Amino acid sequence: MAGIAAGLVGLLVALSTLFYLGLTTILAWKLAVEGPETRRVLAVPLVPVFLQNLGIPFAIMGFTMGATEVSLMGTVMIATGVLLTTERSVSLHPAVEAPLLGLAAFSLAAVGLFHSVI
């Protein structure tokens, strides 16, 4: 029974991490494709959302594997992204952001439950 639970938690963590890394890849691609004059204007507003969405999979994977350095690095990236947020900052559409945050919270809760029970 523990093997099935571990497999489900692993699948949930992997899906959550892959979705966030995919989103981060799209944000980096958008930044790289924009023209040089637009890139300077777009770079500053994109940095907070990029740091937050890159920090979340680091935090999830760090908590999952028990690597406190990785989870600390992810938490610092999230906090830095939140602190750098201004009124000019780009934000994700709520239809994308809400399910991703829910999936991240659910995967962290599943990891916590799995570690406390087993």
Side-chain angles (χ1 to χ4, degrees):
M1 189 67 178
I4 294 172
L8 289 175
V9 170
L11 178 67
L12 186 62
V13 167
L15 283 176
S16 178
T17 304
L18 286 175
F19 281 136
Y20 269 104
L21 290 178
L23 179 67
T24 305
T25 304
I26 291 170
L27 288 172
W29 178 77
K30 180 173 174 51
L31 184 60
V33 168
E34 298 293 329
E37 65 279 347
T38 311
R39 191 176 304 143
R40 277 184 241 114
V41 176
L42 186 63
V44 174
L46 254 180
V47 168
V49 72
F50 184 76
L51 282 175
Q52 290 173 4
N53 288 316
L54 188 60
I56 290 173
F58 275 109
I60 291 172
M61 292 307 291
F63 287 127
T64 302
M65 295 183 294
T68 55
E69 295 85 7
V70 176
S71 60
L72 179 65
M73 185 174 67
T75 306
V76 167
M77 291 172 81
I78 294 168
T80 304
V82 169
L83 290 175
L84 290 177
T85 303
T86 63
E87 63 275 351
R88 285 187 42 220
S89 296
V90 175
S91 62
L92 296 176
H93 193 275
V96 174
E97 190 173 22
L100 282 175
L101 287 175
L103 184 61
F106 190 65
S107 66
L108 282 176
V111 167
L113 182 67
F114 183 75
H115 281 304
S116 67
V117 170
I118 292 181

XYZ file of all heavy atoms in Angstrom:
854
model
N 0.822 -1.193 0.000
C 0.000 0.000 0.000
C 0.865 1.256 0.000
O 0.513 2.244 -0.611
C -0.921 -0.035 1.222
C -1.958 1.032 1.228
S -3.112 0.712 -0.108
C -4.238 2.032 0.137
N 1.997 1.198 0.704
C 2.880 2.368 0.749
C 3.489 2.640 -0.619
O 3.734 3.791 -0.967
C 3.978 2.166 1.784
N 3.710 1.587 -1.397
C 4.263 1.765 -2.740
C 3.311 2.506 -3.661
O 3.730 3.334 -4.472
N 2.024 2.201 -3.540
C 1.021 2.894 -4.351
C 0.937 4.357 -3.937
O 0.882 5.249 -4.788
C -0.353 2.202 -4.222
C -0.294 0.800 -4.826
C -1.439 3.028 -4.902
C -1.531 -0.017 -4.587
N 0.933 4.616 -2.646
C 0.878 6.003 -2.164
C 2.121 6.772 -2.594
O 2.023 7.931 -3.018
C 0.744 6.026 -0.644
N 3.273 6.136 -2.511
C 4.507 6.801 -2.937
C 4.474 7.095 -4.423
O 4.925 8.160 -4.871
C 5.715 5.939 -2.591
N 3.954 6.190 -5.203
C 3.839 6.406 -6.643
C 2.906 7.552 -6.986
O 3.195 8.365 -7.867
N 1.770 7.615 -6.288
C 0.816 8.706 -6.536
C 1.383 10.058 -6.124
O 1.221 11.047 -6.839
C -0.502 8.432 -5.806
C -1.346 7.301 -6.370
C -2.565 7.065 -5.486
C -1.773 7.628 -7.784
N 2.047 10.105 -4.988
C 2.660 11.366 -4.541
C 3.774 11.764 -5.497
O 3.900 12.931 -5.869
C 3.178 11.241 -3.089
C 4.032 12.434 -2.708
C 2.007 11.108 -2.131
N 4.568 10.806 -5.942
C 5.627 11.089 -6.902
C 5.079 11.602 -8.220
O 5.634 12.526 -8.825
N 3.990 11.011 -8.687
C 3.356 11.470 -9.919
C 2.825 12.884 -9.773
O 2.996 13.727 -10.664
C 2.225 10.514 -10.309
C 1.437 10.885 -11.558
C 2.328 10.777 -12.785
C 0.215 10.002 -11.691
N 2.194 13.169 -8.650
C 1.660 14.505 -8.401
C 2.776 15.540 -8.335
O 2.671 16.620 -8.930
C 0.859 14.497 -7.099
C 0.102 15.765 -6.744
C -0.936 16.072 -7.802
C -0.555 15.600 -5.391
N 3.853 15.220 -7.662
C 4.994 16.140 -7.567
C 5.637 16.328 -8.937
O 5.988 17.444 -9.323
C 6.012 15.632 -6.524
C 7.328 16.372 -6.616
C 5.432 15.771 -5.127
N 5.780 15.261 -9.689
C 6.383 15.369 -11.019
C 5.530 16.216 -11.953
O 6.065 17.058 -12.690
C 6.590 13.980 -11.611
N 4.216 16.028 -11.930
C 3.336 16.843 -12.766
C 3.403 18.317 -12.386
O 3.487 19.185 -13.252
C 1.891 16.345 -12.654
C 1.551 15.091 -13.422
C 0.111 14.669 -13.137
C 1.736 15.314 -14.907
N 3.353 18.588 -11.103
C 3.422 19.968 -10.643
C 4.737 20.620 -11.048
O 4.768 21.744 -11.552
C 3.258 20.008 -9.128
O 3.375 21.319 -8.647
N 5.834 19.907 -10.859
C 7.143 20.442 -11.213
C 7.266 20.654 -12.714
O 7.776 21.683 -13.165
C 8.246 19.492 -10.715
O 8.091 19.304 -9.309
C 9.619 20.042 -10.995
N 6.785 19.701 -13.508
C 6.860 19.842 -14.956
C 6.016 21.001 -15.465
O 6.426 21.719 -16.382
C 6.451 18.542 -15.637
C 7.478 17.421 -15.572
C 6.912 16.144 -16.173
C 8.753 17.821 -16.277
N 4.822 21.208 -14.895
C 4.000 22.339 -15.304
C 4.704 23.664 -15.012
O 4.715 24.569 -15.840
C 2.630 22.317 -14.623
C 1.657 21.363 -15.247
C 0.871 20.556 -14.462
C 1.524 21.265 -16.621
C -0.034 19.675 -15.021
C 0.633 20.389 -17.199
C -0.152 19.591 -16.400
N 5.293 23.782 -13.824
C 5.986 25.021 -13.476
C 7.238 25.228 -14.316
O 7.527 26.352 -14.743
C 6.328 25.056 -11.986
C 5.237 25.689 -11.186
C 4.370 24.918 -10.432
C 5.053 27.057 -11.189
C 3.352 25.490 -9.700
C 4.035 27.649 -10.467
C 3.189 26.854 -9.725
O 2.179 27.436 -9.014
N 7.998 24.171 -14.572
C 9.184 24.321 -15.419
C 8.797 24.639 -16.856
O 9.489 25.399 -17.541
C 10.047 23.071 -15.342
C 10.746 22.854 -14.003
C 11.540 21.558 -14.026
C 11.639 24.017 -13.646
N 7.689 24.099 -17.334
C 7.183 24.453 -18.657
C 6.774 25.912 -18.736
O 7.073 26.607 -19.717
N 6.110 26.393 -17.700
C 5.717 27.798 -17.656
C 6.943 28.705 -17.613
O 6.992 29.733 -18.294
C 4.830 28.059 -16.434
C 4.367 29.492 -16.251
C 3.421 29.885 -17.366
C 3.707 29.660 -14.911
N 7.949 28.319 -16.859
C 9.180 29.096 -16.788
C 9.887 29.106 -18.138
O 10.430 30.133 -18.553
C 10.106 28.524 -15.706
O 9.388 28.479 -14.473
C 11.333 29.377 -15.532
N 9.856 27.995 -18.851
C 10.449 27.926 -20.176
C 9.723 28.857 -21.142
O 10.357 29.552 -21.943
C 10.409 26.480 -20.705
O 11.071 25.631 -19.772
C 11.051 26.373 -22.069
N 8.414 28.900 -21.065
C 7.641 29.804 -21.921
C 7.972 31.257 -21.606
O 8.135 32.080 -22.521
C 6.129 29.529 -21.764
C 5.784 28.172 -22.369
C 5.297 30.631 -22.414
C 4.392 27.695 -22.059
N 8.095 31.597 -20.321
C 8.446 32.969 -19.954
C 9.842 33.337 -20.451
O 10.064 34.449 -20.960
C 8.362 33.159 -18.435
C 6.968 33.182 -17.833
C 7.051 33.177 -16.311
C 6.189 34.375 -18.320
N 10.796 32.432 -20.321
C 12.159 32.701 -20.800
C 12.179 32.806 -22.318
O 12.875 33.662 -22.878
C 13.105 31.603 -20.330
N 11.418 31.979 -23.004
C 11.339 32.040 -24.456
C 10.728 33.358 -24.911
O 11.207 33.982 -25.853
C 10.527 30.862 -24.974
C 10.355 30.873 -26.459
C 11.274 30.523 -27.390
C 9.191 31.262 -27.172
N 10.745 30.666 -28.646
C 9.468 31.123 -28.539
C 7.926 31.717 -26.781
C 8.539 31.410 -29.523
C 7.005 32.015 -27.762
C 7.312 31.859 -29.115
N 9.699 33.804 -24.229
C 9.064 35.082 -24.564
C 10.046 36.230 -24.393
O 10.109 37.131 -25.220
C 7.839 35.303 -23.699
C 7.119 36.599 -23.981
C 5.835 36.670 -23.199
C 5.134 37.986 -23.301
N 4.927 38.484 -24.624
N 10.843 36.169 -23.358
C 11.840 37.198 -23.125
C 12.936 37.160 -24.183
O 13.406 38.196 -24.642
C 12.444 37.035 -21.733
C 13.448 38.083 -21.284
C 12.803 39.450 -21.280
C 13.969 37.747 -19.914
N 13.333 35.975 -24.611
C 14.406 35.853 -25.597
C 13.945 36.233 -27.003
O 14.733 36.736 -27.798
C 14.944 34.429 -25.601
N 12.688 36.014 -27.328
C 12.195 36.261 -28.677
C 11.900 37.740 -28.915
O 11.999 38.215 -30.046
C 10.936 35.398 -28.948
C 10.224 35.812 -30.204
C 11.338 33.946 -29.030
N 11.542 38.456 -27.874
C 11.229 39.872 -28.047
C 12.431 40.612 -28.616
O 13.570 40.236 -28.394
C 10.827 40.494 -26.708
C 9.587 39.894 -26.101
C 8.327 40.169 -26.903
O 8.234 41.206 -27.554
O 7.433 39.315 -26.873
N 12.187 41.693 -29.324
C 13.258 42.486 -29.922
C 14.129 43.154 -28.872
O 13.748 43.269 -27.705
N 15.333 43.598 -29.263
C 16.267 44.202 -28.295
C 15.702 45.438 -27.587
O 15.912 45.618 -26.398
C 17.482 44.578 -29.140
C 17.366 43.767 -30.376
C 15.911 43.483 -30.579
N 14.962 46.272 -28.300
C 14.412 47.459 -27.634
C 13.281 47.093 -26.686
O 13.111 47.700 -25.646
C 13.939 48.488 -28.665
C 12.768 48.043 -29.526
C 13.183 47.144 -30.683
O 14.372 47.044 -30.996
O 12.286 46.520 -31.269
N 12.513 46.081 -27.021
C 11.431 45.641 -26.154
C 11.982 44.831 -24.985
O 11.418 44.863 -23.903
C 10.429 44.781 -26.949
O 10.088 45.472 -28.141
C 9.188 44.508 -26.157
N 13.084 44.131 -25.197
C 13.639 43.258 -24.170
C 14.036 44.046 -22.927
O 13.812 43.615 -21.818
C 14.845 42.503 -24.729
C 15.317 41.401 -23.823
C 16.442 40.607 -24.422
N 16.050 40.064 -25.710
C 16.866 39.958 -26.747
N 18.105 40.358 -26.664
N 16.444 39.458 -27.877
N 14.639 45.225 -23.130
C 15.045 46.019 -21.964
C 13.825 46.497 -21.175
O 13.838 46.530 -19.968
C 15.890 47.208 -22.414
C 17.312 46.836 -22.622
C 18.157 48.038 -22.962
N 18.712 47.782 -24.290
C 18.427 48.466 -25.384
N 17.617 49.489 -25.330
N 18.958 48.143 -26.523
N 12.771 46.847 -21.879
C 11.557 47.313 -21.213
C 10.817 46.148 -20.566
O 10.242 46.279 -19.500
C 10.640 48.031 -22.230
C 9.325 48.439 -21.600
C 11.354 49.231 -22.823
N 10.862 44.972 -21.203
C 10.116 43.818 -20.711
C 10.863 43.052 -19.632
O 10.258 42.376 -18.814
C 9.808 42.885 -21.891
C 8.923 41.675 -21.642
C 7.539 42.129 -21.215
C 8.827 40.821 -22.877
N 12.184 43.163 -19.590
C 12.983 42.344 -18.671
C 12.659 42.629 -17.213
O 12.498 41.721 -16.421
C 14.465 42.552 -18.927
N 12.557 43.893 -16.847
C 12.307 44.239 -15.443
C 10.934 43.770 -14.979
O 10.831 43.147 -13.918
C 12.502 45.757 -15.228
C 12.108 46.160 -13.827
C 13.943 46.138 -15.515
N 9.854 43.971 -15.739
C 8.565 43.458 -15.266
C 8.460 41.938 -15.264
O 7.656 41.373 -14.531
C 7.554 44.053 -16.245
C 8.226 45.205 -16.861
C 9.680 44.872 -16.880
N 9.266 41.231 -16.068
C 9.178 39.777 -16.125
C 9.976 39.077 -15.040
O 9.716 37.925 -14.729
C 9.695 39.286 -17.482
C 8.663 38.796 -18.481
C 9.319 38.354 -19.761
C 7.764 37.757 -17.945
N 10.949 39.754 -14.442
C 11.830 39.118 -13.458
C 11.060 38.598 -12.236
O 11.276 37.453 -11.828
C 12.974 40.070 -13.055
C 13.714 39.564 -11.838
C 13.929 40.246 -14.212
N 10.156 39.366 -11.630
C 9.463 38.822 -10.442
C 8.647 37.563 -10.720
O 8.740 36.593 -9.974
C 8.559 39.974 -10.001
C 9.175 41.184 -10.558
C 9.819 40.771 -11.841
N 7.873 37.552 -11.800
C 7.053 36.372 -12.097
C 7.949 35.203 -12.499
O 7.652 34.041 -12.183
C 5.986 36.695 -13.174
C 6.573 36.879 -14.540
C 4.912 35.634 -13.199
N 9.067 35.475 -13.157
C 10.011 34.422 -13.523
C 10.626 33.798 -12.273
O 10.698 32.575 -12.150
C 11.094 34.999 -14.442
C 12.058 33.989 -14.950
C 11.698 33.112 -15.957
C 13.335 33.905 -14.434
C 12.582 32.170 -16.437
C 14.239 32.978 -14.902
C 13.858 32.105 -15.912
N 11.057 34.634 -11.319
C 11.655 34.109 -10.086
C 10.649 33.310 -9.268
O 10.979 32.258 -8.719
C 12.218 35.249 -9.246
C 13.563 35.813 -9.686
C 13.930 37.009 -8.827
C 14.634 34.764 -9.621
N 9.426 33.811 -9.169
C 8.412 33.100 -8.393
C 8.104 31.741 -9.004
O 8.034 30.735 -8.298
C 7.136 33.923 -8.315
C 7.248 35.150 -7.453
C 6.023 36.029 -7.529
O 5.041 35.679 -8.179
N 6.076 37.167 -6.877
N 7.917 31.703 -10.322
C 7.549 30.446 -10.970
C 8.726 29.502 -11.137
O 8.524 28.327 -11.416
C 6.889 30.723 -12.319
C 5.506 31.290 -12.137
O 4.737 30.809 -11.321
N 5.204 32.333 -12.865
N 9.940 29.973 -10.986
C 11.093 29.079 -10.962
C 11.367 28.593 -9.534
O 11.840 27.484 -9.336
C 12.329 29.787 -11.520
C 13.565 28.942 -11.749
C 13.277 27.829 -12.740
C 14.694 29.805 -12.253
N 11.025 29.405 -8.539
C 11.247 29.030 -7.149
C 10.283 27.974 -6.639
O 10.633 27.159 -5.784
N 9.074 27.964 -7.155
C 8.061 27.011 -6.681
C 8.472 25.565 -6.955
O 8.413 24.727 -6.048
C 6.672 27.359 -7.254
C 6.180 28.656 -6.606
C 5.677 26.228 -7.033
C 4.903 29.210 -7.187
N 8.922 25.194 -8.179
C 9.353 23.788 -8.340
C 10.593 23.443 -7.529
O 10.729 22.314 -7.069
C 9.619 23.643 -9.842
C 9.635 24.991 -10.394
C 8.914 25.880 -9.461
N 11.496 24.425 -7.325
C 12.653 24.163 -6.472
C 12.204 23.859 -5.042
O 12.715 22.943 -4.401
C 13.619 25.351 -6.477
C 14.588 25.345 -7.612
C 14.473 26.254 -8.636
C 15.613 24.431 -7.637
C 15.361 26.257 -9.694
C 16.520 24.418 -8.686
C 16.385 25.338 -9.722
N 11.247 24.632 -4.542
C 10.751 24.399 -3.185
C 10.043 23.051 -3.084
O 10.252 22.303 -2.116
C 9.804 25.527 -2.773
N 9.235 22.722 -4.070
C 8.526 21.439 -4.052
C 9.505 20.273 -4.075
O 9.395 19.332 -3.277
C 7.540 21.345 -5.236
C 6.386 22.331 -5.048
C 6.999 19.933 -5.385
C 5.485 22.440 -6.253
N 10.477 20.336 -4.978
C 11.436 19.246 -5.072
C 12.323 19.165 -3.832
O 12.671 18.078 -3.379
C 12.302 19.386 -6.328
C 11.532 19.180 -7.619
S 10.605 17.640 -7.698
C 11.938 16.474 -7.792
N 12.681 20.309 -3.262
C 13.485 20.298 -2.046
C 12.752 19.683 -0.872
O 13.318 18.896 -0.114
N 11.472 20.033 -0.705
C 10.683 19.442 0.368
C 10.447 17.962 0.124
O 10.413 17.169 1.056
C 9.346 20.159 0.525
C 9.461 21.512 1.155
C 8.915 22.623 0.539
C 10.115 21.690 2.360
C 9.019 23.870 1.114
C 10.221 22.931 2.939
C 9.676 24.031 2.314
N 10.282 17.573 -1.140
C 10.036 16.171 -1.458
C 11.243 15.304 -1.146
O 11.122 14.241 -0.549
C 9.666 16.024 -2.943
O 8.517 16.832 -3.207
C 9.358 14.587 -3.286
N 12.421 15.770 -1.564
C 13.623 14.971 -1.377
C 14.278 15.183 -0.019
O 15.250 14.515 0.304
C 14.633 15.299 -2.481
C 14.145 14.905 -3.855
S 15.336 15.210 -5.151
C 15.446 16.979 -5.154
N 13.791 16.124 0.759
C 14.382 16.396 2.062
C 15.672 17.181 1.974
O 16.464 17.171 2.914
N 15.894 17.859 0.861
C 17.097 18.674 0.666
C 16.783 20.105 1.101
O 16.142 20.849 0.368
C 17.535 18.642 -0.789
N 17.217 20.451 2.298
C 16.856 21.764 2.828
C 17.499 22.899 2.038
O 16.924 23.984 1.952
C 17.267 21.879 4.304
O 18.662 21.588 4.431
C 16.479 20.925 5.158
N 18.671 22.665 1.443
C 19.318 23.720 0.675
C 18.506 24.068 -0.575
O 18.355 25.234 -0.922
C 20.738 23.316 0.256
C 21.696 23.120 1.408
C 21.624 21.720 1.995
O 20.925 20.852 1.436
O 22.266 21.499 3.039
N 17.973 23.052 -1.236
C 17.187 23.278 -2.445
C 15.866 23.957 -2.101
O 15.446 24.891 -2.782
C 16.947 21.949 -3.193
C 16.056 22.147 -4.403
C 18.262 21.327 -3.604
N 15.218 23.506 -1.036
C 13.959 24.142 -0.644
C 14.189 25.563 -0.157
O 13.371 26.450 -0.417
C 13.246 23.313 0.427
O 14.049 23.182 1.572
N 15.305 25.810 0.505
C 15.632 27.173 0.924
C 15.896 28.065 -0.282
O 15.441 29.216 -0.321
C 16.844 27.169 1.853
C 17.317 28.535 2.344
C 16.251 29.170 3.218
C 18.622 28.416 3.086
N 16.595 27.536 -1.283
C 16.855 28.306 -2.488
C 15.546 28.658 -3.196
O 15.354 29.790 -3.654
C 17.768 27.518 -3.428
C 18.180 28.279 -4.656
S 19.392 27.410 -5.656
C 18.445 26.022 -6.235
N 14.623 27.708 -3.293
C 13.320 27.979 -3.895
C 12.523 28.993 -3.108
O 11.893 29.884 -3.681
N 12.559 28.894 -1.796
C 11.837 29.845 -0.955
C 12.417 31.244 -1.081
O 11.671 32.227 -1.137
C 11.880 29.376 0.515
O 11.400 28.032 0.589
C 11.032 30.254 1.392
N 13.733 31.357 -1.161
C 14.374 32.665 -1.344
C 14.021 33.237 -2.711
O 13.776 34.448 -2.842
C 15.908 32.550 -1.147
C 16.625 33.794 -1.622
C 16.218 32.284 0.313
N 13.953 32.390 -3.751
C 13.563 32.876 -5.077
C 12.128 33.389 -5.071
O 11.838 34.433 -5.671
C 13.729 31.769 -6.107
C 15.164 31.415 -6.385
S 15.327 29.960 -7.410
C 15.046 30.667 -9.015
N 11.240 32.688 -4.393
C 9.851 33.133 -4.306
C 9.767 34.462 -3.564
O 9.082 35.397 -3.999
C 8.973 32.064 -3.625
C 8.891 30.808 -4.475
C 7.575 32.603 -3.346
C 8.288 29.626 -3.766
N 10.472 34.558 -2.427
C 10.444 35.798 -1.641
C 11.050 36.965 -2.421
O 10.527 38.090 -2.364
C 11.184 35.600 -0.327
N 12.121 36.720 -3.160
C 12.728 37.778 -3.967
C 11.777 38.234 -5.060
O 11.649 39.432 -5.326
C 14.051 37.286 -4.590
O 14.907 36.826 -3.548
C 14.728 38.392 -5.369
N 11.087 37.304 -5.688
C 10.099 37.662 -6.699
C 8.962 38.483 -6.131
O 8.501 39.448 -6.745
N 8.514 38.132 -4.931
C 7.434 38.895 -4.292
C 7.914 40.297 -3.918
O 7.203 41.281 -4.101
C 6.894 38.139 -3.056
C 5.978 39.017 -2.232
C 6.171 36.882 -3.485
N 9.142 40.400 -3.407
C 9.676 41.704 -3.023
C 9.948 42.605 -4.225
O 9.862 43.832 -4.102
C 10.947 41.537 -2.198
C 10.764 40.964 -0.799
C 12.113 40.742 -0.135
C 9.898 41.883 0.041
N 10.283 42.041 -5.364
C 10.563 42.834 -6.560
C 9.300 43.240 -7.319
O 9.381 44.025 -8.257
C 11.478 42.067 -7.511
C 12.916 41.876 -7.064
C 13.673 41.021 -8.079
C 13.608 43.205 -6.882
N 8.162 42.711 -6.944
C 6.924 43.003 -7.646
C 6.555 44.475 -7.484
O 6.530 45.011 -6.382
C 5.780 42.119 -7.118
O 6.153 40.754 -7.261
C 4.491 42.376 -7.867
N 6.290 45.110 -8.608
C 5.844 46.499 -8.632
C 4.539 46.567 -9.409
O 4.018 45.548 -9.876
C 6.896 47.403 -9.300
O 7.064 46.997 -10.660
C 8.233 47.345 -8.582
N 4.034 47.772 -9.590
C 2.791 47.924 -10.354
C 3.021 47.657 -11.839
O 2.089 47.369 -12.567
C 2.178 49.310 -10.143
C 3.028 50.461 -10.634
C 4.053 50.925 -9.618
O 4.033 50.488 -8.455
O 4.898 51.730 -10.008
N 4.280 47.737 -12.306
C 4.604 47.461 -13.705
C 4.843 45.987 -13.972
O 4.964 45.587 -15.130
C 5.877 48.231 -14.110
C 5.677 49.693 -14.316
C 6.927 50.363 -14.866
N 7.558 49.558 -15.910
C 8.857 49.415 -16.025
N 9.682 49.979 -15.174
N 9.369 48.702 -17.010
N 4.929 45.203 -12.951
C 5.280 43.791 -13.112
C 4.212 43.030 -13.882
O 3.019 43.288 -13.747
C 5.476 43.123 -11.755
O 6.567 43.693 -11.098
N 4.686 42.092 -14.669
C 3.791 41.219 -15.415
C 3.241 40.173 -14.460
O 3.946 39.684 -13.586
C 4.576 40.528 -16.561
C 3.699 39.527 -17.281
C 5.130 41.549 -17.516
N 1.980 39.843 -14.606
C 1.416 38.757 -13.800
C 0.746 37.755 -14.736
O 0.374 38.090 -15.857
C 0.402 39.293 -12.788
O -0.675 39.895 -13.468
N 0.642 36.548 -14.261
C -0.007 35.518 -15.063
C -1.509 35.714 -15.043
O -2.074 36.314 -14.119
C 0.335 34.140 -14.509
C 1.787 33.727 -14.562
C 1.953 32.384 -13.891
C 2.283 33.684 -15.982
N -2.154 35.188 -16.056
C -3.609 35.244 -16.110
C -4.167 34.386 -14.973
O -3.638 33.303 -14.695
C -4.089 34.711 -17.458
C -5.516 35.018 -17.728
N -6.531 34.223 -17.268
C -6.096 36.044 -18.387
C -7.692 34.727 -17.643
N -7.446 35.841 -18.330
N -5.211 34.854 -14.288
C -5.757 34.078 -13.160
C -6.212 32.668 -13.538
O -6.173 31.765 -12.716
C -6.947 34.920 -12.688
C -6.644 36.302 -13.147
C -5.848 36.160 -14.410
N -6.612 32.474 -14.792
C -7.031 31.138 -15.222
C -5.847 30.175 -15.279
O -6.027 28.964 -15.215
C -7.702 31.210 -16.591
N -4.625 30.696 -15.397
C -3.426 29.859 -15.404
C -2.832 29.776 -14.008
O -2.415 28.708 -13.557
C -2.383 30.433 -16.397
C -1.078 29.681 -16.310
C -2.927 30.422 -17.804
N -2.803 30.914 -13.316
C -2.126 30.975 -12.024
C -2.854 30.202 -10.925
O -2.215 29.494 -10.137
C -1.951 32.429 -11.603
C -1.072 32.604 -10.407
C -0.793 34.063 -10.117
O -1.558 34.925 -10.550
O 0.209 34.307 -9.431
N -4.172 30.303 -10.865
C -4.928 29.645 -9.797
C -4.795 28.118 -9.827
O -4.516 27.508 -8.790
C -6.393 30.070 -9.856
N -4.967 27.458 -10.985
C -4.784 25.996 -10.970
C -3.353 25.571 -10.653
O -3.147 24.562 -9.980
C -5.169 25.558 -12.387
C -5.988 26.648 -12.932
C -5.519 27.895 -12.276
N -2.364 26.337 -11.129
C -0.978 25.988 -10.832
C -0.680 26.109 -9.342
O -0.018 25.254 -8.762
C -0.020 26.863 -11.635
C 0.174 26.481 -13.090
C 1.045 27.506 -13.789
C 0.766 25.116 -13.220
N -1.153 27.179 -8.723
C -0.944 27.329 -7.281
C -1.681 26.254 -6.501
O -1.177 25.732 -5.505
C -1.376 28.716 -6.816
C -0.454 29.864 -7.210
C -1.064 31.202 -6.795
C 0.912 29.690 -6.602
N -2.886 25.899 -6.953
C -3.624 24.822 -6.305
C -2.916 23.485 -6.434
O -2.844 22.708 -5.478
N -2.356 23.217 -7.617
C -1.612 21.979 -7.822
C -0.351 21.947 -6.967
O -0.025 20.916 -6.374
C -1.255 21.824 -9.299
C -0.552 20.551 -9.724
C -1.423 19.335 -9.430
C -0.206 20.614 -11.196
N 0.338 23.081 -6.854
C 1.541 23.142 -6.015
C 1.191 22.929 -4.547
O 1.874 22.182 -3.840
C 2.249 24.483 -6.201
N 0.122 23.575 -4.084
C -0.292 23.413 -2.689
C -0.724 21.975 -2.417
O -0.400 21.403 -1.363
C -1.424 24.379 -2.359
N -1.439 21.374 -3.357
C -1.891 19.995 -3.191
C -0.713 19.026 -3.166
O -0.697 18.081 -2.377
C -2.879 19.634 -4.308
C -3.581 18.339 -4.095
C -4.464 18.166 -3.029
C -3.372 17.277 -4.949
C -5.111 16.968 -2.826
C -4.012 16.073 -4.767
C -4.888 15.915 -3.702
N 0.284 19.270 -4.026
C 1.438 18.370 -4.029
C 2.263 18.520 -2.756
O 2.749 17.527 -2.209
C 2.304 18.598 -5.265
O 2.900 19.861 -5.240
N 2.414 19.749 -2.251
C 3.122 19.927 -0.975
C 2.362 19.289 0.179
O 2.966 18.701 1.075
C 3.361 21.408 -0.698
C 4.500 22.050 -1.467
C 4.556 23.538 -1.166
C 5.817 21.394 -1.144
N 1.031 19.398 0.158
C 0.237 18.752 1.200
C 0.354 17.231 1.117
O 0.441 16.554 2.150
C -1.226 19.176 1.072
N 0.369 16.695 -0.097
C 0.518 15.248 -0.260
C 1.887 14.776 0.223
O 1.995 13.729 0.867
C 0.316 14.867 -1.728
N 2.925 15.556 -0.065
C 4.268 15.197 0.411
C 4.317 15.243 1.932
O 4.858 14.343 2.580
C 5.330 16.136 -0.204
C 6.665 15.991 0.496
C 5.489 15.857 -1.682
N 3.740 16.286 2.519
C 3.715 16.385 3.983
C 2.939 15.261 4.627
O 3.384 14.679 5.632
N 1.808 14.911 4.052
C 1.011 13.808 4.582
C 1.751 12.482 4.441
O 1.759 11.660 5.362
C -0.345 13.742 3.852
C -1.313 12.688 4.311
C -1.785 12.998 5.728
C -2.493 12.620 3.370
N 2.406 12.287 3.298
C 3.142 11.050 3.076
C 4.297 10.923 4.050
O 4.535 9.855 4.622
C 3.668 11.000 1.630
C 4.373 9.730 1.301
C 3.669 8.569 1.077
C 5.753 9.692 1.234
C 4.318 7.383 0.779
C 6.410 8.527 0.926
C 5.709 7.368 0.709
N 5.034 12.029 4.282
C 6.163 11.977 5.216
C 5.700 11.795 6.668
O 6.390 11.164 7.459
C 7.008 13.240 5.120
C 7.940 13.236 3.947
N 8.858 12.238 3.721
C 8.086 14.120 2.931
C 9.531 12.505 2.622
N 9.085 13.644 2.107
N 4.542 12.332 7.006
C 4.084 12.190 8.390
C 3.484 10.801 8.661
O 3.587 10.300 9.764
C 3.047 13.267 8.708
O 1.860 13.055 7.954
N 2.886 10.191 7.667
C 2.273 8.881 7.867
C 3.308 7.771 7.728
O 3.301 6.807 8.495
C 1.118 8.673 6.849
C 0.621 7.243 6.877
C -0.007 9.639 7.145
N 4.187 7.891 6.774
C 5.134 6.803 6.513
C 6.512 7.141 6.993
O 6.994 8.063 7.302
C 5.159 6.467 5.012
C 3.828 5.871 4.668
C 6.298 5.531 4.683
C 3.660 5.451 3.252
